[in-house]
Amino acid sequence: MSGIDFRKGLDLTNPHMVNVMKLIQAVSSILLFIVPPFFFARFTFTGNYGYFLGFRNAEKANMYILAILGMLMAMPFVIWLGHLNEMIPLPESLTRMEEDTVKQLTAILKVKSVWDIVLNVLIIALLPAIGEELFFRGALQRIVIQLTRNPWVGIVLTAVLFSALHLQFSGFLPRMFLGIVLGALYWFSGSIYTSMIAHFANNAVQVIAASYAPEYVEKNPQTPVLAAVASGIVVWAILWYFQKQSTITYSKVYETDELTSTNQFIA
């Protein structure tokens, strides 16, 4: 879940201004993250562009449920990483930018009715889940894995870029970890639906929680260390099980008869 940087001095108490911010959030998700991957697929692949971007069934049907479960079970570890991240000093300029982002998110997530929550889930949870997964996992991760010829290196490097490009450095470590999990879910399942569903589950829980407990937009809730450790172990076990079930390999994805020097990007 991310916010858009707007000019300082905006009246965040004005409902009309907040609605404009939500509209900009939705349009930017579409133009910045959903449209570019399809152009990428169009110019680098001949055939089924959706299939190229990952729109295909997961290797196993249970991977969809396990992806959601893994993302939800990751939350205690993610929160603990957030506390760890808070110990890293940031330059004053970044701190001010983070404060502005928090104010904007607080204004956007303020709700008066259940319909506000539904709208926020669509704009702040669903659209980013679709767009960011297409951009970072469907396109960028595919490029980085081919360049490095190593799936895990590609997954981690893409996760670093995924976190950095959000420009919210107080949450860099937890977002990078989530990026690694999402990248692994996509790679081992072979389906972008898997990571989209998991990403949406994570975003939706945050949006709904912030609607009823807005104080957690500014700070992470306290999490026992043992809960964080258990969370990390469970996520590792789910990813291990994903890998165990998967038949995806580098050669299966990239070294096929359908990919030739004229329809694949050059590594």
Side-chain angles (χ1 to χ4, degrees):
M1 185 172 65
S2 61
I4 298 176
D5 288 329
F6 298 92
R7 295 179 305 169
K8 292 182 179 180
L10 292 178
D11 182 6
L12 298 179
T13 63
N14 184 336
H16 175 70
M17 183 59 67
V18 173
N19 288 335
V20 170
M21 292 165 63
K22 290 181 181 181
L23 177 62
I24 294 174
Q25 175 80 43
V27 172
S28 65
S29 291
I30 295 170
L31 295 182
L32 296 178
F33 296 112
I34 295 179
V35 173
F38 283 101
F39 277 104
F40 164 72
R42 171 65 181 83
F43 291 116
T44 59
F45 190 73
T46 56
N48 188 333
Y49 307 130
Y51 186 89
F52 177 80
L53 291 171
F55 287 104
R56 48 187 180 269
N57 293 331
E59 289 261 296
K60 302 289 183 180
N62 64 5
M63 288 180 168
Y64 302 118
I65 300 299
L66 287 173
I68 297 173
L69 179 62
M71 192 56 60
L72 297 179
M73 293 301 296
M75 287 185 176
F77 188 71
V78 168
I79 293 171
W80 178 80
L81 283 177
H83 288 298
L84 187 65
N85 207 145
E86 291 170 356
M87 299 178 187
I88 302 173
L90 294 175
E92 185 178 349
S93 59
L94 288 181
T95 300
R96 287 198 302 268
M97 185 173 68
E98 297 277 344
E99 291 172 351
D100 290 341
T101 300
V102 167
K103 290 177 182 177
Q104 293 156 16
L105 278 174
T106 301
I108 290 174
L109 291 170
K110 188 176 181 179
V111 297
K112 295 181 180 179
S113 70
V114 67
W115 295 112
D116 289 328
I117 298 176
V118 171
L119 183 61
N120 286 344
V121 167
L122 290 174
I123 293 175
I124 306 174
L126 181 60
L127 279 179
I130 295 172
E132 291 177 9
E133 288 311 300
L134 274 175
F135 185 92
F136 288 102
R137 256 59 68 175
L140 185 59
Q141 181 172 292
R142 184 182 182 95
I143 295 171
V144 178
I145 289 178
Q146 177 142 355
L147 290 174
T148 61
R149 298 187 180 276
N150 185 305
W152 275 112
V153 172
I155 288 169
V156 172
L157 289 178
T158 303
V160 171
L161 293 171
F162 167 70
S163 187
L165 291 176
H166 275 76
L167 299 177
Q168 292 172 290
F169 296 99
S170 63
F172 183 87
L173 292 179
R175 191 173 290 106
M176 183 183 73
F177 171 74
L178 289 174
I180 292 172
V181 174
L182 290 167
L185 292 176
Y186 172 44
W187 175 256
F188 291 122
S189 69
S191 171
I192 199 72
Y193 296 124
T194 309
S195 59
M196 281 183 178
I197 291 170
H199 196 148
F200 172 71
N202 175 73
N203 286 358
V205 168
Q206 291 187 64
V207 168
I208 294 170
S211 299
Y212 293 101
E215 65 272 17
Y216 290 127
V217 175
E218 299 185 45
K219 63 178 182 179
N220 288 310
Q222 293 299 316
T223 301
V225 175
L226 288 179
V229 171
S231 169
I233 292 173
V234 170
V235 173
W236 174 84
I238 289 175
L239 293 182
W240 174 85
Y241 187 61
F242 254 72
Q243 186 173 9
K244 195 77 172 176
Q245 292 189 102
S246 177
T247 64
I248 301 293
T249 62
Y250 180 89
S251 61
K252 184 176 180 179
V253 174
Y254 295 99
E255 297 171 1
T256 66
D257 294 336
E258 289 76 18
L259 295 177
T260 70
S261 59
T262 59
N263 68 12
Q264 69 170 330
F265 38 82
I266 304 301

